[in-house]
Amino acid sequence: MINYSVMETITRQVGELQANERSAAELLLGHRLRGNERLILQVLERDVVLPATQDSRPAQTLEDWARVYDGLNDEEIETIDAIAKTRAKLARDLP
């Protein structure tokens, strides 16, 4: 087991951040934050290797993604596409 040293962990509620703090966090992350989210930052030694985390989700293959719209009608697919385009636009609108 690799021993690693967490030097500092900072937790902030996004809704409680000052405007300049929230803006800085959004620039760092590359997307907007929502007021109901929590921001957790960890400062580690530079050469630290963290242990792999266990992912409880099943593995996904390219074939799984190729069938992502299976069972949906055209209207449902258009709705999903519109949401995805809106989210992509929001990510690009950051200063």
Side-chain angles (χ1 to χ4, degrees):
M1 175 180 248
I2 298 172
N3 187 15
Y4 62 93
S5 172
V6 176
M7 296 178 65
E8 185 175 11
T9 299
I10 302 164
T11 303
R12 298 287 186 266
Q13 301 299 325
V14 171
E16 297 174 3
L17 294 174
Q18 299 294 321
N20 63 332
E21 295 170 324
R22 185 170 178 160
S23 178
E26 290 172 341
L27 286 171
L28 180 67
L29 292 170
H31 63 82
R32 294 192 186 279
L33 294 168
R34 294 186 305 267
N36 63 342
E37 293 177 320
R38 183 173 21 162
L39 188 62
I40 301 172
L41 301 171
Q42 284 190 329
V43 179
L44 305 173
E45 293 290 336
R46 186 181 73 181
D47 296 326
V48 167
V49 177
L50 294 175
T53 59
Q54 293 289 341
D55 191 348
S56 61
R57 297 176 299 178
Q60 295 180 352
T61 66
L62 182 56
E63 185 176 333
D64 294 331
W65 280 102
R67 300 180 180 281
V68 71
Y69 292 123
D70 283 0
L72 300 176
N73 64 38
D74 289 343
E75 185 178 324
E76 292 169 323
I77 293 170
E78 287 177 17
T79 300
I80 291 169
D81 287 345
I83 292 169
K85 288 175 185 172
T86 300
R87 288 184 179 170
K89 183 180 181 321
L90 288 174
R92 288 192 304 270
D93 284 346
L94 287 175

mmCIF file of all heavy atoms in Angstrom, residues 16-47:
data_model
loop_
_atom_site.group_PDB
_atom_site.id
_atom_site.type_symbol
_atom_site.label_atom_id
_atom_site.label_comp_id
_atom_site.label_asym_id
_atom_site.label_seq_id
_atom_site.Cartn_x
_atom_site.Cartn_y
_atom_site.Cartn_z
ATOM 1 N N GLU A 16 -22.276 29.637 -0.567
ATOM 2 C CA GLU A 16 -21.737 30.544 0.449
ATOM 3 C C GLU A 16 -20.458 31.253 0.006
ATOM 4 O O GLU A 16 -19.920 32.072 0.743
ATOM 5 C CB GLU A 16 -21.472 29.770 1.734
ATOM 6 C CG GLU A 16 -22.735 29.187 2.351
ATOM 7 C CD GLU A 16 -22.454 28.293 3.546
ATOM 8 O OE1 GLU A 16 -21.280 28.163 3.946
ATOM 9 O OE2 GLU A 16 -23.422 27.707 4.067
ATOM 10 N N LEU A 17 -19.959 30.942 -1.193
ATOM 11 C CA LEU A 17 -18.729 31.570 -1.681
ATOM 12 C C LEU A 17 -18.978 33.019 -2.084
ATOM 13 O O LEU A 17 -20.046 33.362 -2.582
ATOM 14 C CB LEU A 17 -18.185 30.811 -2.899
ATOM 15 C CG LEU A 17 -17.690 29.393 -2.682
ATOM 16 C CD1 LEU A 17 -17.327 28.760 -4.018
ATOM 17 C CD2 LEU A 17 -16.507 29.371 -1.735
ATOM 18 N N GLN A 18 -17.966 33.859 -1.878
ATOM 19 C CA GLN A 18 -18.001 35.221 -2.399
ATOM 20 C C GLN A 18 -17.919 35.150 -3.922
ATOM 21 O O GLN A 18 -17.423 34.160 -4.468
ATOM 22 C CB GLN A 18 -16.821 36.032 -1.847
ATOM 23 C CG GLN A 18 -16.803 36.173 -0.343
ATOM 24 C CD GLN A 18 -17.975 36.994 0.158
ATOM 25 O OE1 GLN A 18 -18.368 37.977 -0.459
ATOM 26 N NE2 GLN A 18 -18.559 36.574 1.277
ATOM 27 N N ALA A 19 -18.378 36.180 -4.602
ATOM 28 C CA ALA A 19 -18.413 36.173 -6.067
ATOM 29 C C ALA A 19 -17.037 35.899 -6.673
ATOM 30 O O ALA A 19 -16.906 35.102 -7.613
ATOM 31 C CB ALA A 19 -18.972 37.495 -6.595
ATOM 32 N N ASN A 20 -15.988 36.515 -6.130
ATOM 33 C CA ASN A 20 -14.639 36.314 -6.680
ATOM 34 C C ASN A 20 -14.119 34.906 -6.409
ATOM 35 O O ASN A 20 -13.415 34.323 -7.228
ATOM 36 C CB ASN A 20 -13.663 37.371 -6.158
ATOM 37 C CG ASN A 20 -13.470 37.313 -4.653
ATOM 38 O OD1 ASN A 20 -14.357 36.896 -3.908
ATOM 39 N ND2 ASN A 20 -12.328 37.764 -4.204
ATOM 40 N N GLU A 21 -14.490 34.304 -5.259
ATOM 41 C CA GLU A 21 -14.082 32.932 -4.955
ATOM 42 C C GLU A 21 -14.769 31.944 -5.903
ATOM 43 O O GLU A 21 -14.138 31.030 -6.425
ATOM 44 C CB GLU A 21 -14.455 32.579 -3.512
ATOM 45 C CG GLU A 21 -13.709 33.385 -2.465
ATOM 46 C CD GLU A 21 -14.271 33.170 -1.069
ATOM 47 O OE1 GLU A 21 -15.501 33.012 -0.923
ATOM 48 O OE2 GLU A 21 -13.467 33.172 -0.129
ATOM 49 N N ARG A 22 -16.047 32.160 -6.115
ATOM 50 C CA ARG A 22 -16.805 31.275 -7.002
ATOM 51 C C ARG A 22 -16.281 31.375 -8.432
ATOM 52 O O ARG A 22 -16.113 30.370 -9.116
ATOM 53 C CB ARG A 22 -18.288 31.624 -6.941
ATOM 54 C CG ARG A 22 -19.161 30.682 -7.723
ATOM 55 C CD ARG A 22 -20.610 30.944 -7.426
ATOM 56 N NE ARG A 22 -21.461 30.082 -8.206
ATOM 57 C CZ ARG A 22 -22.714 29.818 -7.901
ATOM 58 N NH1 ARG A 22 -23.252 30.340 -6.822
ATOM 59 N NH2 ARG A 22 -23.435 29.022 -8.671
ATOM 60 N N SER A 23 -16.001 32.592 -8.870
ATOM 61 C CA SER A 23 -15.467 32.804 -10.216
ATOM 62 C C SER A 23 -14.125 32.102 -10.384
ATOM 63 O O SER A 23 -13.874 31.446 -11.401
ATOM 64 C CB SER A 23 -15.324 34.301 -10.487
ATOM 65 O OG SER A 23 -14.764 34.527 -11.743
ATOM 66 N N ALA A 24 -13.265 32.204 -9.386
ATOM 67 C CA ALA A 24 -11.956 31.546 -9.442
ATOM 68 C C ALA A 24 -12.113 30.024 -9.500
ATOM 69 O O ALA A 24 -11.435 29.352 -10.284
ATOM 70 C CB ALA A 24 -11.104 31.948 -8.235
ATOM 71 N N ALA A 25 -13.026 29.480 -8.719
ATOM 72 C CA ALA A 25 -13.259 28.030 -8.723
ATOM 73 C C ALA A 25 -13.799 27.586 -10.079
ATOM 74 O O ALA A 25 -13.389 26.552 -10.618
ATOM 75 C CB ALA A 25 -14.224 27.650 -7.607
ATOM 76 N N GLU A 26 -14.715 28.361 -10.667
ATOM 77 C CA GLU A 26 -15.283 28.018 -11.966
ATOM 78 C C GLU A 26 -14.220 28.071 -13.060
ATOM 79 O O GLU A 26 -14.196 27.217 -13.955
ATOM 80 C CB GLU A 26 -16.456 28.941 -12.293
ATOM 81 C CG GLU A 26 -17.666 28.672 -11.428
ATOM 82 C CD GLU A 26 -18.790 29.669 -11.584
ATOM 83 O OE1 GLU A 26 -18.540 30.794 -12.090
ATOM 84 O OE2 GLU A 26 -19.915 29.350 -11.196
ATOM 85 N N LEU A 27 -13.340 29.052 -12.986
ATOM 86 C CA LEU A 27 -12.250 29.118 -13.967
ATOM 87 C C LEU A 27 -11.331 27.913 -13.836
ATOM 88 O O LEU A 27 -10.897 27.336 -14.826
ATOM 89 C CB LEU A 27 -11.456 30.416 -13.802
ATOM 90 C CG LEU A 27 -12.145 31.676 -14.300
ATOM 91 C CD1 LEU A 27 -11.364 32.913 -13.879
ATOM 92 C CD2 LEU A 27 -12.303 31.636 -15.810
ATOM 93 N N LEU A 28 -11.045 27.522 -12.619
ATOM 94 C CA LEU A 28 -10.193 26.363 -12.366
ATOM 95 C C LEU A 28 -10.833 25.077 -12.892
ATOM 96 O O LEU A 28 -10.186 24.262 -13.536
ATOM 97 C CB LEU A 28 -9.914 26.239 -10.864
ATOM 98 C CG LEU A 28 -9.048 25.086 -10.417
ATOM 99 C CD1 LEU A 28 -7.627 25.262 -10.926
ATOM 100 C CD2 LEU A 28 -9.046 24.990 -8.902
ATOM 101 N N LEU A 29 -12.125 24.916 -12.648
ATOM 102 C CA LEU A 29 -12.837 23.705 -13.064
ATOM 103 C C LEU A 29 -13.199 23.697 -14.543
ATOM 104 O O LEU A 29 -13.343 22.643 -15.149
ATOM 105 C CB LEU A 29 -14.122 23.550 -12.245
ATOM 106 C CG LEU A 29 -13.922 23.251 -10.770
ATOM 107 C CD1 LEU A 29 -15.242 23.366 -10.032
ATOM 108 C CD2 LEU A 29 -13.319 21.873 -10.588
ATOM 109 N N GLY A 30 -13.406 24.868 -15.109
ATOM 110 C CA GLY A 30 -13.784 24.949 -16.514
ATOM 111 C C GLY A 30 -15.276 24.873 -16.753
ATOM 112 O O GLY A 30 -15.716 24.698 -17.886
ATOM 113 N N HIS A 31 -16.073 24.999 -15.710
ATOM 114 C CA HIS A 31 -17.530 25.031 -15.879
ATOM 115 C C HIS A 31 -18.159 25.738 -14.687
ATOM 116 O O HIS A 31 -17.542 25.921 -13.651
ATOM 117 C CB HIS A 31 -18.113 23.622 -16.053
ATOM 118 C CG HIS A 31 -17.915 22.718 -14.875
ATOM 119 N ND1 HIS A 31 -18.730 22.728 -13.767
ATOM 120 C CD2 HIS A 31 -16.978 21.779 -14.639
ATOM 121 C CE1 HIS A 31 -18.315 21.834 -12.899
ATOM 122 N NE2 HIS A 31 -17.241 21.241 -13.405
ATOM 123 N N ARG A 32 -19.406 26.142 -14.877
ATOM 124 C CA ARG A 32 -20.134 26.844 -13.820
ATOM 125 C C ARG A 32 -20.511 25.885 -12.688
ATOM 126 O O ARG A 32 -20.727 24.707 -12.919
ATOM 127 C CB ARG A 32 -21.397 27.483 -14.384
ATOM 128 C CG ARG A 32 -21.106 28.582 -15.379
ATOM 129 C CD ARG A 32 -22.375 29.365 -15.668
ATOM 130 N NE ARG A 32 -22.164 30.329 -16.725
ATOM 131 C CZ ARG A 32 -21.597 31.523 -16.562
ATOM 132 N NH1 ARG A 32 -21.186 31.888 -15.372
ATOM 133 N NH2 ARG A 32 -21.456 32.341 -17.579
ATOM 134 N N LEU A 33 -20.576 26.435 -11.497
ATOM 135 C CA LEU A 33 -21.000 25.679 -10.323
ATOM 136 C C LEU A 33 -22.425 26.071 -9.959
ATOM 137 O O LEU A 33 -22.850 27.194 -10.215
ATOM 138 C CB LEU A 33 -20.075 25.984 -9.141
ATOM 139 C CG LEU A 33 -18.630 25.516 -9.302
ATOM 140 C CD1 LEU A 33 -17.758 26.127 -8.217
ATOM 141 C CD2 LEU A 33 -18.571 24.010 -9.253
ATOM 142 N N ARG A 34 -23.154 25.133 -9.360
ATOM 143 C CA ARG A 34 -24.514 25.407 -8.899
ATOM 144 C C ARG A 34 -24.472 25.666 -7.392
ATOM 145 O O ARG A 34 -23.640 25.120 -6.674
ATOM 146 C CB ARG A 34 -25.422 24.223 -9.217
ATOM 147 C CG ARG A 34 -25.598 24.017 -10.716
ATOM 148 C CD ARG A 34 -26.624 22.929 -11.022
ATOM 149 N NE ARG A 34 -26.347 21.666 -10.383
ATOM 150 C CZ ARG A 34 -25.656 20.661 -10.941
ATOM 151 N NH1 ARG A 34 -25.163 20.783 -12.152
ATOM 152 N NH2 ARG A 34 -25.469 19.537 -10.280
ATOM 153 N N GLY A 35 -25.380 26.484 -6.930
ATOM 154 C CA GLY A 35 -25.413 26.887 -5.528
ATOM 155 C C GLY A 35 -25.635 25.756 -4.550
ATOM 156 O O GLY A 35 -25.300 25.875 -3.380
ATOM 157 N N ASN A 36 -26.177 24.628 -5.016
ATOM 158 C CA ASN A 36 -26.440 23.514 -4.100
ATOM 159 C C ASN A 36 -25.284 22.514 -4.070
ATOM 160 O O ASN A 36 -25.408 21.455 -3.483
ATOM 161 C CB ASN A 36 -27.730 22.788 -4.501
ATOM 162 C CG ASN A 36 -27.639 22.154 -5.881
ATOM 163 O OD1 ASN A 36 -26.787 22.505 -6.685
ATOM 164 N ND2 ASN A 36 -28.528 21.227 -6.159
ATOM 165 N N GLU A 37 -24.169 22.865 -4.696
ATOM 166 C CA GLU A 37 -23.020 21.961 -4.734
ATOM 167 C C GLU A 37 -22.035 22.272 -3.621
ATOM 168 O O GLU A 37 -22.040 23.352 -3.044
ATOM 169 C CB GLU A 37 -22.311 22.064 -6.089
ATOM 170 C CG GLU A 37 -23.145 21.548 -7.237
ATOM 171 C CD GLU A 37 -22.471 21.713 -8.578
ATOM 172 O OE1 GLU A 37 -21.845 22.761 -8.818
ATOM 173 O OE2 GLU A 37 -22.579 20.785 -9.386
ATOM 174 N N ARG A 38 -21.171 21.297 -3.348
ATOM 175 C CA ARG A 38 -20.116 21.444 -2.359
ATOM 176 C C ARG A 38 -18.788 21.294 -3.090
ATOM 177 O O ARG A 38 -18.622 20.408 -3.933
ATOM 178 C CB ARG A 38 -20.257 20.365 -1.298
ATOM 179 C CG ARG A 38 -19.258 20.470 -0.190
ATOM 180 C CD ARG A 38 -19.526 19.493 0.911
ATOM 181 N NE ARG A 38 -20.347 18.372 0.481
ATOM 182 C CZ ARG A 38 -20.452 17.237 1.133
ATOM 183 N NH1 ARG A 38 -19.816 17.064 2.252
ATOM 184 N NH2 ARG A 38 -21.203 16.260 0.677
ATOM 185 N N LEU A 39 -17.842 22.142 -2.804
ATOM 186 C CA LEU A 39 -16.529 22.122 -3.423
ATOM 187 C C LEU A 39 -15.535 21.563 -2.401
ATOM 188 O O LEU A 39 -15.443 22.060 -1.284
ATOM 189 C CB LEU A 39 -16.139 23.550 -3.831
ATOM 190 C CG LEU A 39 -14.897 23.769 -4.650
ATOM 191 C CD1 LEU A 39 -15.011 23.060 -6.004
ATOM 192 C CD2 LEU A 39 -14.677 25.245 -4.858
ATOM 193 N N ILE A 40 -14.819 20.497 -2.783
ATOM 194 C CA ILE A 40 -13.836 19.892 -1.889
ATOM 195 C C ILE A 40 -12.487 19.919 -2.604
ATOM 196 O O ILE A 40 -12.327 19.326 -3.665
ATOM 197 C CB ILE A 40 -14.218 18.442 -1.525
ATOM 198 C CG1 ILE A 40 -15.580 18.415 -0.843
ATOM 199 C CG2 ILE A 40 -13.140 17.822 -0.631
ATOM 200 C CD1 ILE A 40 -16.129 17.031 -0.609
ATOM 201 N N LEU A 41 -11.524 20.598 -2.030
ATOM 202 C CA LEU A 41 -10.176 20.704 -2.593
ATOM 203 C C LEU A 41 -9.204 20.005 -1.662
ATOM 204 O O LEU A 41 -9.282 20.148 -0.442
ATOM 205 C CB LEU A 41 -9.750 22.163 -2.738
ATOM 206 C CG LEU A 41 -10.633 23.054 -3.608
ATOM 207 C CD1 LEU A 41 -10.195 24.503 -3.476
ATOM 208 C CD2 LEU A 41 -10.575 22.605 -5.037
ATOM 209 N N GLN A 42 -8.277 19.255 -2.248
ATOM 210 C CA GLN A 42 -7.225 18.627 -1.458
ATOM 211 C C GLN A 42 -5.877 19.073 -1.984
ATOM 212 O O GLN A 42 -5.663 19.115 -3.196
ATOM 213 C CB GLN A 42 -7.307 17.104 -1.524
ATOM 214 C CG GLN A 42 -8.403 16.530 -0.688
ATOM 215 C CD GLN A 42 -8.296 15.022 -0.584
ATOM 216 O OE1 GLN A 42 -7.826 14.366 -1.493
ATOM 217 N NE2 GLN A 42 -8.728 14.496 0.538
ATOM 218 N N VAL A 43 -5.003 19.386 -1.074
ATOM 219 C CA VAL A 43 -3.631 19.727 -1.411
ATOM 220 C C VAL A 43 -2.765 18.549 -1.002
ATOM 221 O O VAL A 43 -2.795 18.116 0.148
ATOM 222 C CB VAL A 43 -3.178 21.013 -0.677
ATOM 223 C CG1 VAL A 43 -1.738 21.342 -1.021
ATOM 224 C CG2 VAL A 43 -4.108 22.176 -1.013
ATOM 225 N N LEU A 44 -2.017 17.991 -1.976
ATOM 226 C CA LEU A 44 -1.176 16.822 -1.728
ATOM 227 C C LEU A 44 0.271 17.142 -2.088
ATOM 228 O O LEU A 44 0.544 18.063 -2.852
ATOM 229 C CB LEU A 44 -1.634 15.645 -2.594
ATOM 230 C CG LEU A 44 -3.090 15.222 -2.488
ATOM 231 C CD1 LEU A 44 -3.400 14.167 -3.537
ATOM 232 C CD2 LEU A 44 -3.380 14.685 -1.112
ATOM 233 N N GLU A 45 1.180 16.338 -1.575
ATOM 234 C CA GLU A 45 2.559 16.420 -2.014
ATOM 235 C C GLU A 45 2.600 16.177 -3.521
ATOM 236 O O GLU A 45 1.822 15.392 -4.045
ATOM 237 C CB GLU A 45 3.427 15.384 -1.287
ATOM 238 C CG GLU A 45 3.583 15.636 0.188
ATOM 239 C CD GLU A 45 4.438 16.852 0.495
ATOM 240 O OE1 GLU A 45 5.279 17.240 -0.352
ATOM 241 O OE2 GLU A 45 4.259 17.427 1.574
ATOM 242 N N ARG A 46 3.496 16.808 -4.238
ATOM 243 C CA ARG A 46 3.513 16.780 -5.691
ATOM 244 C C ARG A 46 3.635 15.381 -6.288
ATOM 245 O O ARG A 46 2.945 15.046 -7.243
ATOM 246 C CB ARG A 46 4.651 17.655 -6.217
ATOM 247 C CG ARG A 46 4.629 17.775 -7.720
ATOM 248 C CD ARG A 46 5.740 18.604 -8.217
ATOM 249 N NE ARG A 46 6.966 17.811 -8.088
ATOM 250 C CZ ARG A 46 8.150 18.246 -8.426
ATOM 251 N NH1 ARG A 46 8.295 19.458 -8.867
ATOM 252 N NH2 ARG A 46 9.204 17.488 -8.295
ATOM 253 N N ASP A 47 4.464 14.535 -5.770
ATOM 254 C CA ASP A 47 4.726 13.226 -6.368
ATOM 255 C C ASP A 47 3.907 12.100 -5.747
ATOM 256 O O ASP A 47 4.249 10.932 -5.895
ATOM 257 C CB ASP A 47 6.218 12.902 -6.276
ATOM 258 C CG ASP A 47 7.049 13.875 -7.081
ATOM 259 O OD1 ASP A 47 6.562 14.322 -8.142
ATOM 260 O OD2 ASP A 47 8.167 14.198 -6.660
#
